[in-house]
Amino acid sequence: MNKINTKAVQHGLERQNTGNLQTLWVELPGFCNLACSYCYACGGEDVTKDNLLSWGDYENILSQVKQEGVDSIGIPGAGEPFLCGNKELTLKFISRCAEMGIYVTLFTSGEFIDEELADKLCLLPVEIMLKCNTLSPELQDRFVSDVSRGRVISGYGEKRNRAIDILIRKGFNNEKECMEKFGRKSRMALVTSIMTDDDSDLSNLEEIADILRFCRRNNIIFDCDSILKRGRGAKCNLCAGDEQLRDKLLELQKMDEEEFGNEWEISQSYVGTVCDRYFHHLYINQYGEVRPCIGAMDVSLGNIKNSRLSDIWNSEEMKIIRGRKYRGKCGDECENFATGKCNSCLGRRIVNLNNESLSKNGCVETIGCWNFKKK
């Protein structure tokens, strides 16, 4: 039987290194009704409304990205884009991107996607990245609850599963339609991290392979990584250990090749591909503050309200990062880094990354990881 390669990834990944800014993530207000203990952005907490980006600021951003040649914008899950307080802004922003020929990668819990909203999204250049820590509704509710903060969520998992069904029926995973309309293999993803607590009482370790199978069989992007230790994720108890991660990734790698003909290298970022954002990407939070990426939040590159993207892109900090001036265990010693099989995630395998360290050392200091391979 012939194997069919069904792997698809986020629109903003697997880029050619042109030296130019190509992709941008822009936060919407961080309003969220869930309570995920692993949220990198502390979604739903302490949103300072007075300092939020205005519509004029979003228009300014889009005007600048068009000048820079950016063709891909992500709306990350710092808040829920279709929550009542965000929905109008979200649709307005995506529609403006459509007018400008910019493709949008949008992360959502899926809870608020109904037939009407799906029909609107179907006409727009957008891929929907659905939270899916598990396909079990009951277990999913536990993943988005935080008992320590008195937040117990119920009914979400069923609504998310309904959203998966709606998007499939609307053709978001129909390869022929997606290619004809937007040149994409698929326009929907299931998004998760590999997670487990110490006693595996709350865990998706055993289900990850089945979620991958579900995605491959239905032409859905499998967007999976490890927990980013930022925000609430820095203190949550769901971070899988290094050996657990490596063993699970090797299992997924073998299964994906044997069952679906997909070949990929394991790394400490995404499953199935390597994060290459360091050379083509910037991140703007809900207040306009610009960072190199979702993992490098201690590097301040200015505020979009009074800075130009072109100046930020050519800042000394970004020249170091996109010039791959990395030192230490990854930069100096690792074969995987040297050959591009890994890019030493700025949010996972870096020490003391901030403006001062970049200015003082002229490089990114790395600590290595479980996938280290000596040169």
Side-chain angles (χ1 to χ4, degrees):
M1 181 174 65
N2 293 327
K3 294 179 180 179
I4 300 173
N5 189 309
T6 57
K7 184 168 78 77
V9 298
Q10 288 181 40
H11 185 248
L13 294 174
E14 297 191 355
R15 295 268 163 162
Q16 294 294 319
N17 190 350
T18 65
N20 300 321
L21 178 63
Q22 301 176 52
T23 67
L24 192 74
W25 278 20
V26 184
E27 287 186 357
L28 299 178
F31 308 129
C32 188
N33 60 312
L34 301 181
C36 307
S37 64
Y38 50 87
C39 180
Y40 80 95
C42 296
E45 295 183 40
D46 302 325
V47 177
T48 307
K49 296 182 180 180
D50 291 343
N51 295 331
L52 290 172
L53 291 168
S54 67
W55 175 246
D57 293 324
Y58 285 110
E59 285 194 310
N60 174 45
I61 291 169
L62 291 177
S63 175
Q64 290 192 52
V65 300
K66 190 64 176 179
Q67 295 173 21
E68 296 297 314
V70 171
D71 67 353
S72 177
I73 288 181
I75 298 176
E80 169 49 46
F82 296 123
L83 198 63
C84 183
N86 279 339
K87 183 177 180 180
E88 182 179 352
L89 172 61
T90 299
L91 291 174
K92 188 175 181 180
F93 184 80
I94 297 173
S95 296
R96 186 74 181 102
C97 287
E99 294 171 4
M100 302 175 70
I102 297 172
Y103 195 83
V104 177
T105 297
L106 184 144
F107 291 80
T108 174
S109 71
E111 178 174 354
F112 303 102
I113 294 179
D114 55 18
E115 299 279 344
E116 181 182 0
L117 179 55
D119 284 336
K120 291 180 180 178
L121 295 171
C122 196
L123 301 175
L124 296 169
V126 59
E127 59 188 5
I128 307 300
M129 316 292 284
L130 282 172
K131 176 187 289 292
C132 184
N133 310 127
T134 169
L135 289 165
S136 163
E138 296 78 18
L139 186 57
Q140 182 61 77
D141 286 349
R142 291 183 62 200
F143 270 117
V144 299
S145 298
D146 190 346
V147 178
S148 68
R149 294 192 295 135
R151 298 289 309 281
V152 178
I153 308 297
S154 62
Y156 162 66
E158 291 184 357
K159 295 173 183 177
R160 193 282 320 282
N161 282 2
R162 180 195 63 191
I164 293 174
D165 292 338
I166 290 173
L167 293 178
I168 288 176
R169 282 193 285 104
K170 298 296 182 181
F172 279 79
N173 66 328
N174 185 306
E175 183 173 355
K176 181 179 179 182
E177 291 182 10
C178 292
M179 288 299 296
E180 288 178 351
K181 293 180 179 178
F182 300 105
R184 293 290 292 149
K185 190 180 184 71
S186 177
R187 295 176 59 207
M188 67 179 291
L190 299 188
V191 181
T192 188
S193 294
I194 297 174
M195 298 186 287
T196 187
D197 58 15
D198 292 339
D199 56 9
S200 298
D201 177 58
L202 182 57
S203 174
N204 62 9
L205 272 178
E206 299 306 314
E207 192 187 352
I208 284 292
D210 289 333
I211 298 175
L212 174 56
R213 287 189 178 97
F214 180 84
C215 288
R216 297 298 192 237
R217 290 167 180 165
N218 291 281
N219 191 39
I220 295 172
I221 299 166
F222 180 64
D223 196 80
C224 179
D225 57 12
S226 59
I227 288 177
L228 187 63
K229 295 181 180 180
R230 298 283 183 179
R232 292 197 293 267
K235 297 181 179 180
C236 80
N237 66 341
L238 293 174
C239 297
D242 287 351
E243 288 188 12
Q244 287 176 310
L245 278 173
R246 183 179 177 84
D247 289 347
K248 185 55 60 175
L249 289 173
L250 289 171
E251 175 191 328
L252 296 177
Q253 180 191 50
K254 181 180 180 182
M255 183 268 284
D256 205 11
E257 181 179 3
E258 291 179 349
E259 297 183 21
F260 302 100
N262 292 316
E263 297 182 5
W264 41 270
E265 300 284 345
I266 64 170
S267 76
Q268 37 80 48
S269 56
Y270 292 106
V271 171
T273 190
V274 176
C275 182
D276 56 19
R277 288 195 176 93
Y278 74 94
F279 69 71
H280 59 75
H281 175 85
L282 289 173
Y283 187 107
I284 303 176
N285 75 9
Q286 59 190 312
Y287 305 112
E289 298 160 352
V290 188
R291 313 297 190 210
C293 72
I294 194 172
M297 292 302 187
D298 294 326
V299 179
S300 176
L301 301 173
N303 193 299
I304 198 63
K305 295 176 182 178
N306 49 40
S307 301
R308 299 288 301 175
L309 281 176
S310 56
D311 294 332
I312 291 172
W313 183 245
N314 290 302
S315 65
E316 291 305 311
E317 292 90 346
M318 283 307 300
K319 286 179 180 178
I320 292 170
I321 290 171
R322 57 193 177 91
R324 225 164 179 253
K325 296 178 180 179
Y326 288 26
R327 297 290 181 267
K329 195 74 173 180
C330 305
D332 294 324
E333 303 177 36
C334 185
E335 178 70 15
N336 288 326
F337 180 84
T339 57
K341 293 179 180 179
C342 178
N343 291 314
S344 193
C345 175
L346 294 178
R348 292 178 173 88
R349 299 298 169 176
I350 304 300
V351 62
N352 194 33
L353 181 63
N354 52 49
N355 295 70
E356 183 180 357
S357 67
L358 289 172
S359 176
K360 179 180 178 180
N361 302 325
C363 66
V364 174
E365 295 287 349
T366 64
I367 59 175
C369 78
W370 46 263
N371 201 33
F372 175 78
K373 181 180 179 182
K374 190 170 180 60
K375 285 184 181 179

